[in-house]
């Protein structure tokens, strides 16, 4: 094995790779110490009895930040900081404003910030708001086309529209109408045709009911972004309700996901029955109302009250959808007993990523292509 490659493997594997029989340069030894501190801290967080590592005291964290910044290129340093925040829960790093100023925004970072309510800390609010804005804008770019495509009405194949959207492209008409421009090798398109869409006569009322208890940080971010998208669609009247042991109506802010996230404060218990009781007050036409609840369904109050309220809404004609909580790695976590009983009561429950929720909502509204 090439000697420089051995050195790199030694840094990757740490002190467990002494059998590689290689020595490190002075700078590599310093890099090794920084890595050792970080990953030994991770072992400590998991209950291993390890000496050394990053201590809870602010000076040791500041020193570790300084060393990592000096010894590694920015891309590697970003990764180390993300590892410290996301994998090993070193929240004291967030007490350093320069970390928030220099680290690359990510969903994992935002989850950590939301989980410790960093957005409510006046000293960090500006940096946190910028991170929220960056992550939200990235999610909007990913999700808005999916929701617009699925929820803007069925294709009307009998009519064309001047609106040029790839999802509405009428290939057959476009080719047929432009065959006169065929030069023996290719068709030159003078005009491309797009199908129109049929809008429902009456909008559906979609009530997004979002659990903001402590375990729901990732789901809260996605839900705020989805609410911002749905608020702009003409076929939907949106209500946005967030809850823990209290219920807060954020409908007036729903068109601004950043403002929604800055208004939430994760933590506390979970009273789903209370949230559904509030949602019931918003309903005007039950048969065209969807209550979409995002939760781990770990009810903090009497479960029977939750089941009774669900049955009452279902019997009234409301469509009840339930999305289980998802980790940033899209791993579902929820109360299986509660969701099983709700399913037997005809509440539709699924573990879905946001893009699949667009399909589910479109199918429920009868807009599936």
């Amino acid at each position: 094995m090439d000697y420089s490659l051995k050195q790199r493997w030694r840094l990757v594997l740490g002190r467990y790779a002494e059998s590689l029989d290689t020595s490190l340069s002075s700078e590599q030894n310093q890099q090794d110490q920084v890595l050792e501190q970080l990953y030994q801290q991770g072992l400590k967080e998991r209950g291993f009895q390890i000496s050394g590592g990053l201590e809870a005291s602010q000076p040791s964290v500041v020193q570790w930040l300084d060393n990592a910044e000096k010894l590694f290129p920015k891309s590697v340093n970003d990764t180390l900081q993300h590892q410290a925040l996301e994998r090993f829960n070193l929240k004291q790093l967030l007490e350093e404003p320069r970390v928030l100023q220099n680290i690359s925004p990510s969903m994992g970072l935002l989850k950590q910030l939301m989980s410790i309510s960093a957005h409510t800390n006046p000293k960090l609010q500006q940096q946190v708001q910028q991170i929220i804005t960056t992550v939200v804008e990235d999610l909007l770019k990913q999700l808005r086309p999916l929701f617009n495509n699925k929820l803007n009405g069925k294709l009307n194949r009998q009519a064309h529209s001047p609106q040029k959207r790839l999802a509405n492209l009428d290939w057959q008409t476009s080719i047929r109408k432009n065959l006169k421009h065929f030069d023996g090798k290719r068709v030159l398109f003078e005009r491309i045709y797009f199908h129109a869409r049929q809008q429902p006569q009456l909008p559906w009322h979609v009530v997004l009911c979002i659990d903001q208890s402590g375990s729901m940080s990732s789901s809260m971010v996605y839900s705020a972004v989805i609410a911002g998208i749905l608020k702009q669609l003409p076929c939907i009247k949106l209500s946005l309700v967030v809850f823990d042991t209290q219920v807060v109506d954020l409908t007036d802010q729903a068109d601004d996901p950043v403002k929604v996230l800055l208004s939430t404060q994760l933590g506390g218990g979970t009273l789903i029955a209370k949230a559904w009781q509030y949602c019931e007050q918003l309903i005007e036409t039950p048969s065209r109302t969807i209550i979409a609840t995002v939760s781990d369904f770990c009810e903090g109050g009497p479960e029977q009250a939750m089941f009774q309220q669900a049955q009452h809404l279902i019997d009234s004609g409301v469509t009840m959808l339930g999305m289980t909580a998802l980790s940033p790695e899209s791993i579902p976590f929820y109360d299986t007993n509660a969701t099983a009983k709700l399913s037997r009561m005809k509440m539709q429950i699924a573990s879905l990523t946001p893009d699949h929720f667009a399909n589910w909502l479109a199918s429920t509204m009868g807009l599936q292509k």
Side-chain angles (χ1 to χ4, degrees):
M1 184 185 296
D2 178 79
Y3 192 75
S4 63
L5 186 57
K6 279 187 177 182
Q7 290 178 313
R8 292 177 68 182
W9 273 111
R10 168 62 182 81
L11 286 172
V12 169
L13 299 174
R15 58 190 174 93
Y16 301 102
E18 293 173 353
S19 60
L20 285 177
D21 190 27
T22 184
S23 60
L24 301 177
S25 68
S26 175
E27 181 178 5
Q28 286 173 330
N29 272 314
Q30 294 177 65
Q31 290 174 330
D32 188 49
Q33 290 174 16
V34 168
L35 296 173
E36 185 83 358
Q37 284 180 295
L38 173 59
Y39 293 106
Q40 283 202 17
Q41 177 69 11
L43 292 174
K44 282 185 175 183
E45 294 286 339
R46 288 165 171 75
F48 289 89
Q49 297 299 316
I50 304 288
S51 60
L54 287 173
E55 301 302 331
S57 64
Q58 185 72 5
S60 68
V61 175
V62 173
Q63 186 61 56
W64 183 82
L65 286 169
D66 284 336
N67 291 339
E69 191 171 3
K70 287 186 294 187
L71 292 167
F72 294 97
K74 186 180 186 304
S75 59
V76 176
N77 189 39
D78 274 354
T79 299
L80 294 179
Q81 290 183 354
H82 278 298
Q83 292 271 303
L85 289 168
E86 297 172 24
R87 290 186 57 187
F88 305 135
N89 210 26
L90 300 184
K91 294 177 182 176
Q92 63 264 42
L93 286 178
L94 295 176
E95 297 175 15
E96 277 296 299
R98 61 182 172 153
V99 173
L100 297 184
Q101 290 169 358
N102 298 324
I103 197 169
S104 300
S106 71
M107 184 65 180
L109 172 61
L110 182 51
K111 174 192 171 185
Q112 290 290 335
L113 294 171
M114 295 294 294
S115 67
I116 63 171
S117 299
H119 57 299
T120 64
N121 184 338
K123 294 180 180 178
L124 301 176
Q125 198 165 49
Q126 184 175 356
Q127 293 98 323
V128 173
Q129 183 170 348
Q130 184 56 52
I131 290 169
I132 291 175
T133 300
T134 301
V135 173
V136 164
E137 287 177 351
D138 184 54
L139 289 174
L140 284 171
K141 288 178 184 177
Q142 297 175 41
L143 296 176
R144 183 181 278 126
L146 295 171
F147 278 81
N148 286 345
N149 178 33
K150 295 296 180 182
L151 297 169
N152 262 323
K154 293 181 179 178
L155 286 178
N156 180 0
R157 300 185 184 278
Q158 308 306 314
H160 289 103
S161 168
Q163 186 177 12
K164 298 178 180 179
R165 296 181 61 225
L166 182 59
N168 302 347
L169 182 59
D170 182 354
W171 273 112
Q172 291 185 353
T173 302
S174 297
I175 293 172
R176 187 175 67 253
K177 294 282 189 179
N178 288 283
L179 279 176
K180 60 186 177 182
H181 302 300
F182 181 60
D183 63 5
K185 294 183 179 179
R186 58 181 177 174
V187 176
L188 301 177
F189 287 88
E190 182 178 67
R191 178 184 171 187
I192 297 177
Y193 293 81
F194 297 85
H195 290 298
R197 286 189 179 269
Q198 298 171 335
Q199 295 293 341
Q201 293 181 346
L202 293 173
W204 279 80
H205 184 191
V206 177
V207 182
L208 277 183
C209 185
I210 314 302
D211 184 346
Q212 64 166 352
S213 58
S215 61
M216 299 293 297
S217 53
S218 297
S219 298
M220 188 68 234
V221 175
Y222 282 119
S223 298
V225 171
I226 290 172
I229 296 170
L230 296 181
K231 184 74 171 179
Q232 306 299 322
L233 295 177
C235 62
I236 288 176
K237 173 188 174 184
L238 180 80
S239 296
L240 177 61
V241 175
V242 300
F243 69 94
D244 40 40
T245 56
Q246 301 298 318
V247 181
V248 181
D249 193 322
L250 295 178
T251 303
D252 291 343
Q253 302 177 26
D255 58 348
D256 187 344
V258 175
K259 187 180 292 186
V260 168
L261 291 173
L262 289 172
S263 299
T264 59
Q265 188 164 351
L266 295 168
T270 305
L271 292 179
I272 301 173
K274 184 175 182 179
W276 285 344
Q277 288 167 4
Y278 177 82
C279 293
E280 184 180 6
Q281 301 173 34
L282 306 176
I283 298 170
E284 296 177 356
T285 309
S287 62
R288 292 190 69 81
T289 299
I290 297 170
I291 296 179
T293 303
V294 183
S295 178
D296 56 13
F297 294 95
C298 297
E299 174 70 331
E303 279 196 335
Q304 191 57 34
M306 175 179 70
F307 297 138
Q308 288 175 350
Q309 184 62 32
Q311 191 66 66
H312 175 66
L313 288 165
I314 292 167
D315 290 344
S316 74
V318 173
T319 300
M320 297 287 284
L321 304 182
M323 284 78 70
T324 66
L326 293 176
S327 72
E329 296 78 26
S330 297
I331 300 173
F333 57 94
Y334 56 95
D335 186 316
T336 54
N337 292 326
T339 53
K341 184 164 184 177
L342 289 167
S343 294
R344 290 194 295 270
M345 296 164 59
K346 307 303 182 185
M347 179 175 180
Q348 303 174 50
I349 295 181
S351 299
L352 299 172
T353 54
D355 53 336
H356 288 100
F357 175 57
N359 292 327
W360 195 22
L361 195 56
S363 177
T364 302
M365 294 169 59
L367 297 175
Q368 200 69 279
K369 313 303 180 288

